[in-house]
Amino acid sequence: MLHRSAVVIAFALALVSGRPANVLANGGFEKGLDGWLRFDTTKQGKVEIVDDAHEGKKALLLQKKGGNGVVMVRQDLDAPGKELTVSVSYRSKTGGKAHVVVVGYAANSDTLALNSEVAVITGPVKAWTRKESKITLPDTVVKLSIAIRALEDGEFLFDDVVMSVAGAAAGAKASGPLANGGFESGLVGWQVDAPSGRVTFEPNGDARKSGAKGLHVVRDARCELPWDALVASLADLPKGAFTVRAQVRAEHATCGLEVRFVDEHGVLLKAVEVGRSDKSGWTAIEGKATPPRDAVGASVAILVTGKGTIDVDDVEIR
C-alpha cells in the first residue's frame, strides 16, 4: 500500500496547489535517487540526499572536491511534448560552478540535437533561488536527458525539479476532468508507478481502439502483488457518483481500473476498483465511484498484473 499512496499524494498536492503536472519522476528527491542515475567520474565527490530542502523534506546534495570530471545525476525520458517549461530550486554556500541542463537526441543518434541550460551557478547563492526556462524542442528530438552537474569544486543543493508540457490538455483527448485518456499526447498527465521494475508503458498506434494512439503495456513479472500501475490525477473532483470507463485487451495479463480519493493533506481515503479484464479482445470495463465526504482530489489508476501484455485506450470519466 505504501507505494500506491505515495503516488496518490504527489498527484493530490499538484491538484491542491494548481501546479502543472511533472513529467519527471521524483523531481523533489523525496524518494532518494529513485528515477535518477548517479555519476561521479572524479571518484572523490558526493551525491547524497539530505534533509535541507526547499520543498518537502529532501533535497539533492552534489559535492565536487578535486579530481578530473564531473559529479552529477541524470534522468532520461522520451520527449513528452514540443513546448516545455523546466524549473529548479538551488543554493550553494561555497560557490563554484554547477548547472542544470536539458539535452535532446534525434532518433537512432547519439548526436545532440538540443543543449539548453536551465540554471547556472557560478558563485555563492546563500538563499534558495528558483530558475525557470522555456524550451522548444526541435522536431527531430525524440529523447531527452536532464542533468544536474557539479563542474567545479564546491557544494550544491538542488530541489523541486519540474518539467511540464505547455498545452498538454489541449492536445489530448479529454472527457470531463480526465485529460489525455486516449494517450494521444503520449504519457503526458500520467505517472508510472512500477515496483516490479519489469514493465514498460508505451503509447503507440498499434495499441489504439480509436484515435491515433493507445497504451501498450508489457509486463515481465509473474508476481501478483505489488501490481504495476499508471496513474493520472483528475483536474476536478466530481461532486457526486461518477462512472469510469476504459477499453482494454489483454494477453496473459490482467488489467484493473481503480479510482483513488485523497483528503486535503494528500492522505489516501479510499481506493475503489471499478473493473478488470483479462480478455484478449477489446472489452469495455467500467464502474461507479463516489467521493468520500472529506475527499478533495482523486486519480485514476490502470493496474497491471501477470506476465503478458495489455492495450488500453479511451479512459474516460462520465
Side-chain angles (χ1 to χ4, degrees):
M1 187 67 115
L2 289 176
H3 76 279
R4 184 170 71 176
S5 60
V7 172
V8 174
I9 289 170
F11 277 108
L13 293 176
L15 281 169
V16 173
S17 67
R19 298 178 61 180
N22 191 1
V23 300
L24 297 177
N26 190 30
F29 303 101
E30 299 302 305
K31 294 183 179 181
L33 288 174
D34 285 2
W36 297 89
L37 301 172
R38 175 188 183 278
F39 301 91
D40 178 11
T41 59
T42 71
K43 306 298 183 184
Q44 54 195 47
K46 284 185 180 179
V47 179
E48 295 181 351
I49 301 301
V50 296
D51 292 333
D52 187 0
H54 173 258
E55 184 162 319
K57 296 181 178 180
K58 304 294 183 181
L60 170 70
L61 168 69
L62 296 185
Q63 184 186 76
K64 187 173 186 294
K65 191 176 181 180
N68 295 320
V70 298
V71 179
M72 63 177 284
V73 298
R74 189 188 80 210
Q75 187 167 149
D76 303 327
L77 66 157
D78 292 335
K82 187 174 178 62
E83 303 291 336
L84 306 179
T85 299
V86 183
S87 55
V88 60
S89 297
Y90 59 88
R91 70 186 184 95
S92 172
K93 295 180 180 179
T94 64
K97 186 173 182 180
H99 71 176
V100 179
V101 62
V102 175
V103 298
Y105 303 88
N108 302 317
S109 174
D110 293 330
T111 303
L112 289 184
L114 170 76
N115 189 353
S116 179
E117 281 189 324
V118 177
V120 183
I121 300 173
T122 56
V125 183
K126 295 183 179 181
W128 279 106
T129 300
R130 188 153 187 86
K131 186 67 179 293
E132 179 179 287
S133 178
K134 295 187 182 300
I135 301 172
T136 300
L137 301 187
D139 292 337
T140 56
V141 169
V142 297
K143 296 283 187 181
L144 293 179
S145 291
I146 180 167
I148 305 173
R149 300 170 176 154
L151 303 171
E152 296 178 358
D153 287 5
E155 189 171 284
F156 313 91
L157 285 169
F158 298 91
D159 197 9
D160 197 21
V161 189
V162 176
M163 179 184 292
S164 59
V165 182
K173 179 179 179 180
S175 178
L178 180 65
N180 197 27
F183 304 99
E184 300 303 308
S185 294
L187 292 182
V188 171
W190 294 86
Q191 182 164 326
V192 174
D193 179 23
S196 78
R198 301 176 67 178
V199 65
T200 60
F201 296 89
E202 180 187 3
N204 63 47
D206 293 334
R208 72 186 186 275
K209 177 68 167 63
S210 66
K213 294 180 182 178
L215 174 70
H216 183 61
V217 186
V218 179
R219 189 173 191 265
D220 187 29
R222 294 188 182 278
C223 57
E224 289 297 313
L225 293 174
W227 48 74
D228 295 307
L230 194 67
V231 188
S233 61
L234 305 188
D236 299 296
L237 180 67
K239 294 181 179 180
F242 58 94
T243 298
V244 185
R245 178 184 174 92
Q247 294 285 342
V248 175
R249 62 183 178 187
E251 293 289 344
H252 309 295
T254 300
C255 177
L257 197 60
E258 183 177 79
V259 181
R260 302 166 178 176
F261 297 101
V262 294
D263 67 12
E264 61 181 342
H265 304 294
V267 175
L268 181 66
L269 295 172
K270 185 179 181 182
V272 180
E273 185 178 280
V274 296
R276 64 167 52 202
S277 177
D278 59 2
K279 296 180 180 179
S280 60
W282 282 109
T283 302
I285 59 175
E286 67 176 70
K288 288 187 178 295
T290 302
R293 182 169 53 184
D294 295 331
V296 300
S299 59
V300 172
I302 298 167
L303 309 179
V304 186
T305 58
K307 184 176 181 181
T309 65
I310 67 166
D311 292 328
V312 185
D313 202 5
D314 298 337
V315 186
E316 55 187 352
I317 306 295
R318 296 180 174 179

